[in-house]
């Protein structure tokens, strides 16, 4: 199951083009954050009303705020409406959900593995490690990855093999520095998105 989640987040990372984030506009950001807050509060209230404890209700509310970016982007692509106005807004909302999910997963990982005495410091350190890994993977290695993919572009088998190898390299690096493999795979997908 961990491998499946890792590969799914790798695919989600590939679907997110960082250049699109600049083009999202305020509408997608406001709608995305509003949807996350409203859905999360409603999910929390329903779960708490059914007798779940405080922490499980927060988990349930958080889980209900997310959608499957891969499924929605594939559906929009099949309908050839990905570049329409509403398609761009939907992708913007999904990107906001993914970013919130990543921050939430990092927070949950730090809560699981650390004591409550240094929770904020541990979360900040873990987030900093993730940002450094993302910057090195996405920005620092862009030329190397571009040259590699240019050389192997003639073979679809080599492209798949190189992509999966990159996914595992970044995922294992992330695990080595104390970050999760799943988030490393997501970062590897982001670095290949362009």
């Amino acid at each position: 199951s961990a491998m499946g989640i890792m590969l799914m987040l790798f695919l989600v990372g590939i679907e997110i083009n960082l250049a699109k984030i600049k083009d999202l506009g305020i509408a997608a950001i406001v709608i995305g954050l509003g949807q996350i807050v409203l859905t999360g509060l409603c999910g929390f209230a329903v779960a708490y009303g059914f007798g779940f404890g405080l922490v499980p209700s927060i988990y349930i509310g958080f889980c209900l705020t997310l959608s499957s970016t891969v499924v929605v982007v594939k559906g929009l692509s099949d309908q050839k409406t990905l570049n329409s106005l509403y398609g761009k807004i939907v992708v913007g909302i999904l990107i906001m959900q993914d970013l919130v999910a990543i921050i939430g997963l990092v927070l949950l990982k730090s809560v699981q593995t650390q004591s409550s005495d240094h929770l904020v410091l541990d979360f900040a350190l873990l987030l900093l490690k993730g940002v450094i890994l993302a910057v090195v993977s996405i920005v620092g290695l862009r030329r190397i990855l571009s040259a590699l993919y240019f050389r192997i572009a003639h073979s679809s088998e080599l492209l798949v093999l190189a992509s999966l190898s990159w996914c595992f390299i970044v995922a294992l690096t992330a695990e080595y520095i104390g970050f999760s493999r799943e988030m490393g795979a997501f970062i590897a997908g982001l670095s290949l998105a362009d």
Side-chain angles (χ1 to χ4, degrees):
S1 66
M3 185 74 68
I5 293 171
M6 191 177 88
L7 291 174
M8 182 202 60
L9 285 173
F10 177 64
L11 289 175
V12 168
I14 287 176
E15 291 293 330
I16 297 174
N17 188 341
L18 292 177
K20 288 182 182 176
I21 293 177
K22 297 176 189 172
D23 301 332
L24 294 180
I26 295 295
I29 293 170
V30 169
I31 293 170
L33 290 176
Q35 178 270 324
I36 289 167
V37 170
L38 184 63
T39 309
L41 289 175
C42 289
F44 171 79
V46 169
Y48 199 70
F50 276 114
F52 286 93
L54 181 65
V55 174
S57 296
I58 292 172
Y59 276 101
I60 291 170
F62 178 70
C63 290
L64 290 175
T65 63
L66 308 175
S67 303
S68 176
T69 302
V70 175
V71 172
V72 175
V73 168
K74 177 71 172 139
L76 289 172
S77 178
D78 288 347
Q79 295 175 358
K80 305 215 184 318
T81 57
L82 194 57
N83 291 322
S84 67
L85 177 62
Y86 75 87
K88 289 179 181 178
I89 291 174
V90 167
V91 169
I93 292 168
L94 292 170
I95 289 173
M96 291 305 303
Q97 288 179 352
D98 290 340
L99 293 175
V100 168
I102 290 166
I103 293 170
L105 288 173
V106 169
L107 179 61
L108 293 175
K109 168 108 173 138
S110 65
V111 168
Q112 279 181 331
T113 58
Q114 305 297 331
S115 66
S116 60
D117 296 339
H118 306 306
L119 185 62
V120 174
L121 181 63
D122 293 336
F123 173 69
L125 185 61
L126 196 60
L127 196 59
L128 179 65
K129 288 178 182 179
V131 168
I132 290 170
L133 180 64
V135 168
V136 169
S137 298
I138 296 169
V139 177
L141 298 175
R142 183 172 295 230
R143 287 188 180 184
I144 295 170
L145 288 175
S146 297
L148 172 68
Y149 277 84
F150 181 75
R151 293 179 64 98
I152 64 172
H154 64 280
S155 171
S156 59
E157 292 87 3
L158 283 176
L159 284 172
V160 170
L161 184 62
S163 299
L164 286 174
S165 298
W166 180 245
C167 172
F168 289 117
I169 288 169
V170 177
L172 291 173
T173 303
E175 186 175 42
Y176 180 74
I177 65 171
F179 212 53
S180 71
R181 282 178 297 192
E182 294 82 6
M183 290 302 103
F186 179 80
I187 291 169
L190 280 178
S191 67
L192 295 179
D194 293 331

